Amino acid sequence: MKLQRKNRLRATALGALAVSGALVLTACGSDDNSGSTGGNGGKTSAASNIKCDDAKGQLLASGSSAQKNAMDLWVKNYMAGCSGVEVNYKSSSSGEGIIAFNQGTVGFAGSDSALKPEEVAESKKMCKGGQGINLPMVGGPIAIGYHLEGVDNLTLDAPTLAKIFDGKIKKWNDPAIAKLNSGAELPDKDIQAFHRSEDSGTTQNLGKYLGAAAPSDWKYEAEKKWPAPGGQAASGSSGVAAQVKQVDGAIGYFELSYATSQSISTVDIDTGGAAPVEATSENASKAIAAAKIKGTGKDLALELDYTTKAEGAYPIVLVTYEVVCDKGNKAETLSTVKSFLNYTAGDEGQKLLTEAGYAPIPAEINAKVRETIASLS
């Protein structure tokens, strides 16, 4: 049953990519694209109901690799709808994205963690008369992917995960893992744990989960840099996923879309609730729906509950923010930033998230995101 659900998720994600590609081909091949204006006075694209407004030229952005698969879809659809506009999102890491934003080299940055106070202070130099703010745009589960020949279903809890990633549990047939997987034939094989090599919001969110749900076993601060000794490093979510797929005995963490697109098995999480919870968009949405806004003013940073025991709520979640200036955005890219983010936060953009293995932002919070985008200056 679990394998069937994963195959269905993978097919849906691939279908979303196919739809996106079809939109691009339709826009390029059509002789009548008069409704798509791309910098032509605020008309709406006939191709996909995207409001292009005065968008024009090139918009550079960079950051979180967690949202790469969502951003690829958004960029293709947006550029198909708004001719004459080029959006270039460089998937690197949250840390690199924020650095680029505060240096003024990108119109917005993607980050899986809200700006720190010192990063907000730094942003004021670039956002003339304003500051950087966090706009939650993409939600989803951080999947714990594994590759263990002969084991198709695996359940772990927070203390066991913490000990695995801290190098305290070294074998797959360890009694702690066996206790959570009664009846499974676990091999006497070394665990190969993979983590991100660069500063990563995904790493930080995993750290927040482990610190909250297993405080006795995970003593590290939740930072973007991987804190524990040992393990093996790989670049980006794509790099970690590639290693897990290739190496028998491997375990790692990355966004669900990387698992579904590469048919990587994922761990069910024992939260202490009625039953272990699978990493799915729907289950992540149940956890994210309980998020509270902790930001002030126009900042919409969220507080997530990593210790939830709610039925069917997958606790290892992240929210990716698009980081922009509330005031002081560059005049040459402001219209394009607002137009593009209006699309990603709109009904059409958010619907694509579920199809691609992510979770939409809860409606009440998303309404505030749209309000804030409209007020950017």
Side-chain angles (χ1 to χ4, degrees):
M1 182 63 71
K2 184 176 176 182
L3 186 57
Q4 290 175 343
R5 286 198 298 270
K6 287 179 180 173
N7 287 339
R8 185 169 67 249
L9 278 170
R10 181 174 183 268
T12 309
L14 292 175
L17 285 165
V19 169
S20 173
L23 283 170
V24 174
L25 291 172
T26 300
C28 293
S30 172
D31 291 326
D32 180 12
N33 199 26
S34 57
S36 176
T37 60
N40 237 345
K43 294 181 182 177
T44 300
S45 158
S48 53
N49 297 317
I50 296 172
K51 197 162 186 274
C52 302
D53 292 321
D54 293 315
K56 60 186 177 182
Q58 185 181 59
L59 172 62
L60 300 178
S62 70
S64 164
S65 66
Q67 67 172 353
K68 177 186 183 300
N69 295 331
M71 193 61 72
D72 285 349
L73 288 169
W74 283 336
V75 167
K76 285 181 182 180
N77 288 0
Y78 182 80
M79 288 172 56
C82 297
S83 61
V85 183
E86 181 184 351
V87 179
N88 187 334
Y89 181 82
K90 179 186 177 184
S91 172
S92 51
S93 69
S94 297
E96 290 176 45
I98 291 172
I99 289 171
F101 176 76
N102 281 340
Q103 289 177 341
T105 60
V106 295
F108 70 88
S111 176
D112 307 323
S113 295
L115 292 167
K116 294 179 180 179
E118 58 268 29
E119 292 169 337
V120 173
E122 184 71 19
S123 74
K124 292 179 180 179
K125 300 175 186 176
M126 198 273 294
C127 304
K128 302 302 181 185
Q131 66 178 50
I133 58 171
N134 305 282
L135 301 179
M137 198 67 69
V138 181
I142 300 174
I144 306 298
Y146 72 97
H147 178 176
L148 194 57
E149 295 296 335
V151 179
D152 296 326
N153 295 283
L154 186 68
T155 296
L156 298 173
D157 59 11
T160 308
L161 270 175
K163 290 171 187 172
I164 288 172
F165 281 116
D166 199 19
K168 301 290 175 56
I169 291 179
K170 302 179 183 296
K171 294 280 189 177
W172 278 109
N173 62 348
D174 187 276
I177 300 176
K179 185 177 178 180
L180 292 164
N181 296 274
S182 178
E185 294 186 12
L186 298 168
D188 181 16
K189 185 182 289 291
D190 289 342
I191 294 174
Q192 306 286 336
F194 287 89
H195 58 263
R196 292 280 290 275
S197 60
E198 76 286 7
D199 285 4
S200 160
T202 310
T203 294
Q204 188 171 35
N205 279 278
L206 176 65
K208 288 178 180 178
Y209 163 72
L210 293 174
S216 298
D217 299 294
W218 192 258
K219 301 293 188 179
Y220 306 101
E221 291 295 322
E223 299 290 348
K224 291 176 183 173
K225 185 176 181 61
W226 180 255
Q232 300 177 62
S235 178
S237 291
S238 58
V240 176
Q243 290 298 318
V244 171
K245 186 172 179 65
Q246 292 170 13
V247 178
D248 186 20
I251 189 169
Y253 58 94
F254 33 80
E255 293 65 44
L256 180 63
S257 60
Y258 291 92
T260 54
S261 64
Q262 298 185 53
S263 299
I264 297 172
S265 296
T266 59
V267 170
D268 292 346
I269 301 299
D270 184 342
T271 64
V277 185
E278 186 181 0
T280 68
S281 298
E282 180 183 5
N283 292 343
S285 293
K286 292 176 184 176
I288 294 171
K292 307 294 184 186
I293 294 175
K294 66 176 181 179
T296 58
K298 292 183 179 179
D299 185 77
L300 300 177
L302 301 179
E303 184 173 351
L304 299 167
D305 181 7
Y306 295 100
T307 61
T308 181
K309 291 179 174 60
E311 185 177 355
Y314 184 82
I316 319 177
V317 294
L318 61 72
V319 168
T320 298
Y321 301 95
E322 311 311 339
V323 177
V324 294
C325 299
D326 56 356
K327 298 177 183 177
N329 290 279
K330 292 181 179 178
E332 60 268 29
T333 57
L334 176 60
S335 293
T336 309
V337 167
K338 292 175 72 170
S339 171
F340 179 71
L341 294 183
N342 266 324
Y343 163 62
T344 65
D347 292 339
E348 187 176 331
Q350 289 291 297
K351 182 182 177 184
L352 277 178
L353 292 179
T354 301
E355 296 173 353
Y358 295 92
I361 299 302
E364 183 180 345
I365 296 171
N366 187 247
K368 294 182 180 180
V369 172
R370 297 189 209 188
E371 223 176 88
T372 303
I373 292 169
S375 72
L376 299 179
S377 61

